Amino acid sequence: MATASTFGAQSPAVPFRGVHLDLKGLVPTFHRLLKLVDIFDTLKIQAILVEWEDCFPWSCDPRLRAPHAYTEDQILQFSKRCDELGIEIIPLVQSLGHSENVLRLPGNEGMREIQHRTDVFHPLAQGSSQIVAAMVSDVIELIPGIKHFHLGGDEVYTLGKNPASKEFIENHGIAELYLKQLKPSLTLLKENSIRPLLWHDEVVQWEDQQIQVFAQDFDLVVWGYTGDPRNPETYHFRLPHIQKLHHLGCSLWGATSYKGADGPWANLPDTLARAKATQGWAELTADFGLKGIFITAWSRYASGRIQVSPIDGALDSLAYMAITLHNGQAPTDGIDTCISVLDDLGEAEYLATCKQLLLNFTKHVDKSWEWIRQLHEQKENIKLEPTRANSGIEEIIFDLLAQDIKACREYGEQLEQCLNGKVASPLPQYYWESRLKAIEDASNQLVNDGVLCSSTPILA
């Protein structure tokens, strides 16, 4: 068995290692969810950071549930399995930003920081903080034994854009406005002896004195997925942030990634890029007494955006990060070691099939957009130099584009079949069709434009 020899470190380099389960998209079927718990356990994962989004059986407002939401009984079975394996469930409920699932609903418009946007709560609005606390209450009432609870709190780019919020900040500061939204939830968690977690990127911008005042009220998770976190120039998680928060007495965690951090169009992770960040986090843990590291895995960049990078095509990347955090160094034989561990779990063959389909699909998607770019540039060239038109190149490119579009559909349909039973329907269909239909629309617009010499629609 490769697994036993792979996790060889007697004392793990990172004492507490968690994996992120983002349920905004590509939601595992319940059967697959339980299988993933077993996979996480084999990879020595000690906690699952579950971003419930619309997959929890919310009682505070049933409209928050997606058709594929898990039932109360399924949540209890999931909790029982995690408990049996000694895996801690750390729920994540968005409290301020990334709150589209709440703010999109009719009747909740008044809770928006900006009226036409559903991403950020308006902390001064009636009901804003209360609905978050109600969601937190739903979770802690259903899942027993919660020790930590993540309230999100990152990327609140528009906080203060509402005139009332702007005035409040001028009088009291942005930290007070931020915490006004979180206060009922923080109080609820404290009453239940549950330690709150927040992403670091907003709090680190507060005045030092403000951070010190609230440093004992929650832990901060310093996140960064690309590049070495010790590089002071690296975005968001640059070393000065870690040093500042540590100096001010904050309890800190780190967060790397194994998938979903390579752009909102990505179908597969850049494992080597993720590995560089993960190695850095492993080495930083002892330097700053980090309480643990989460391996994040984004399925959407936001609730309303397209889905990215199925778990099923990234399990080798997860294994790579889990081994690195446990042993303090990369797997001895790189990805081959990870495949051997997954083979022990009966997952290697399925991973290979899924990855190949994603690679093929990606190749033809990328090639299609290359042809579309060429056609757009050719169209402008014809308008600028009409005497150079009618060479026939347009017909050739349209024909090549048609071939790639056909291949996109074939591989997309095969991918959907591959994910069937693993990912809740119809999310696999939406995954590939959102990419293909954008190509088809762009192609048809060029066909119907009239400038290019081809006049026969290729997508009839």
Side-chain angles (χ1 to χ4, degrees):
M1 297 287 284
T3 304
S5 60
T6 296
F7 292 89
Q10 294 295 316
S11 179
V14 176
F16 193 85
R17 302 165 306 284
V19 68
H20 175 222
L21 188 62
D22 179 15
L23 299 178
K24 292 195 295 293
L26 291 167
V27 178
T29 60
F30 181 63
H31 176 77
R32 184 59 172 171
L33 177 67
L34 294 183
K35 178 60 177 178
L36 287 173
V37 173
D38 291 339
I39 292 171
F40 298 157
D41 178 59
T42 299
L43 297 177
K44 308 298 182 183
I45 296 295
Q46 296 152 291
I48 306 176
L49 178 64
V50 188
E51 189 161 350
W52 289 109
E53 190 71 7
D54 55 2
C55 290
F56 195 81
W58 304 108
S59 60
C60 60
D61 188 343
R63 297 179 302 164
L64 295 170
R65 305 179 194 174
H68 51 262
Y70 301 119
T71 66
E72 290 188 7
D73 183 62
Q74 288 173 335
I75 298 295
L76 290 173
Q77 290 183 58
F78 169 68
S79 301
K80 180 181 178 182
R81 184 58 181 154
C82 288
D83 186 59
E84 289 170 349
L85 296 173
I87 295 176
E88 180 181 345
I89 296 174
I90 302 178
L92 193 160
V93 170
Q94 296 289 357
S95 60
L96 192 49
H98 293 295
S99 295
E100 295 89 349
N101 192 45
V102 176
L103 296 177
R104 65 183 171 83
L105 296 174
N108 291 349
E109 296 88 349
M111 293 189 282
R112 301 172 183 172
E113 180 72 357
I114 296 179
Q115 195 59 214
H116 67 277
R117 289 179 54 164
T118 61
D119 53 339
V120 177
F121 275 108
H122 176 35
L124 302 178
Q126 184 176 3
S128 285
S129 61
Q130 290 79 11
I131 184 61
V132 175
M135 294 170 71
V136 171
S137 180
D138 274 0
V139 175
I140 63 179
E141 287 177 7
L142 185 57
I143 300 177
I146 294 174
K147 299 175 183 177
H148 299 88
F149 201 115
H150 203 309
L151 293 172
D154 63 318
E155 297 183 332
V156 191
Y157 298 130
T158 61
L159 187 63
K161 299 296 184 182
N162 187 290
S165 295
K166 182 179 181 181
E167 182 180 356
F168 185 96
I169 291 171
E170 290 171 353
N171 293 326
H172 305 286
I174 195 165
E176 290 289 345
L177 181 63
Y178 185 102
L179 290 169
K180 187 175 182 64
Q181 173 67 12
L182 272 64
K183 186 175 181 180
S185 297
L186 292 172
T187 299
L188 179 60
L189 293 175
K190 185 175 183 180
E191 290 172 350
N192 285 273
S193 301
I194 298 172
R195 182 66 175 174
L197 278 64
L198 292 169
W199 299 118
H200 86 290
D201 54 291
E202 296 294 334
V203 176
V204 75
Q205 300 177 57
W206 298 355
E207 297 294 332
D208 287 6
Q209 185 178 3
Q210 293 175 317
I211 297 174
Q212 285 179 308
V213 168
F214 300 111
Q216 304 309 312
D217 294 338
F218 43 76
D219 293 356
L220 293 176
V221 184
V222 185
W223 60 272
Y225 314 136
T226 302
D228 192 323
R230 294 164 295 189
N231 181 352
E233 302 302 319
T234 306
Y235 174 70
H236 259 333
F237 58 113
R238 53 187 181 272
L239 189 60
H241 279 190
I242 304 170
Q243 293 170 327
K244 173 182 176 178
L245 294 169
H246 178 72
H247 174 73
L248 294 173
C250 297
S251 295
L252 300 178
W253 304 64
T256 186
S257 183
Y258 79 88
K259 78 169 194 76
D262 296 291
W265 54 84
N267 296 309
L268 288 162
D270 183 342
T271 299
L272 294 181
R274 306 284 74 74
K276 185 176 182 179
T278 301
Q279 183 67 51
W281 281 115
E283 295 177 18
L284 272 174
T285 299
D287 294 343
F288 291 93
L290 301 181
K291 297 177 72 172
I293 302 292
F294 293 108
I295 312 171
T296 64
W298 305 98
S299 63
R300 297 184 196 260
Y301 277 36
S303 179
R305 300 185 69 175
I306 66 170
Q307 302 172 101
V308 297
S309 304
I311 292 175
D312 309 82
L315 286 175
D316 52 345
S317 186
L318 170 60
Y320 198 109
M321 307 315 144
I323 294 166
T324 300
L325 293 181
H326 184 277
N327 294 347
Q329 58 188 12
T332 304
D333 294 320
I335 287 293
D336 288 344
T337 298
C338 303
I339 299 299
S340 295
V341 172
L342 294 171
D343 195 37
D344 287 348
L345 288 162
E347 291 285 329
E349 185 176 348
Y350 174 62
L351 169 70
T353 300
C354 192
K355 282 190 70 170
Q356 190 59 54
L357 288 171
L358 287 164
L359 282 167
N360 292 341
F361 183 68
T362 300
K363 179 180 75 173
H364 292 287
V365 166
D366 291 347
K367 197 63 183 176
S368 294
W369 284 116
E370 289 180 20
W371 297 132
I372 289 170
R373 175 181 173 176
Q374 284 194 44
L375 288 166
H376 271 290
E377 291 174 347
Q378 182 64 7
K379 182 182 77 172
E380 297 306 319
N381 186 64
I382 290 172
K383 288 158 65 176
L384 292 167
E385 299 183 272
T387 59
R388 296 182 182 272
N390 301 321
S391 68
I393 188 60
E394 299 87 352
E395 294 178 11
I396 295 172
I397 296 175
F398 269 124
D399 183 61
L400 293 170
L401 173 57
Q403 294 176 41
D404 279 306
I405 288 174
K406 181 181 178 183
C408 284
R409 179 169 294 279
E410 291 174 352
Y411 286 118
E413 290 174 345
Q414 291 176 40
L415 177 63
E416 181 181 345
Q417 293 171 8
C418 183
L419 296 176
N420 183 40
K422 302 288 198 301
V423 176
S425 179
L427 297 176
Q429 176 191 353
Y430 295 166
Y431 184 89
W432 68 269
E433 282 197 353
S434 62
R435 289 159 169 78
L436 176 57
K437 286 184 178 298
I439 294 169
E440 290 176 332
D441 287 347
S443 179
N444 280 325
Q445 288 174 17
L446 285 164
V447 169
N448 297 325
D449 185 270
V451 175
L452 296 170
C453 64
S454 175
S455 60
T456 304
I458 62 173
L459 300 174

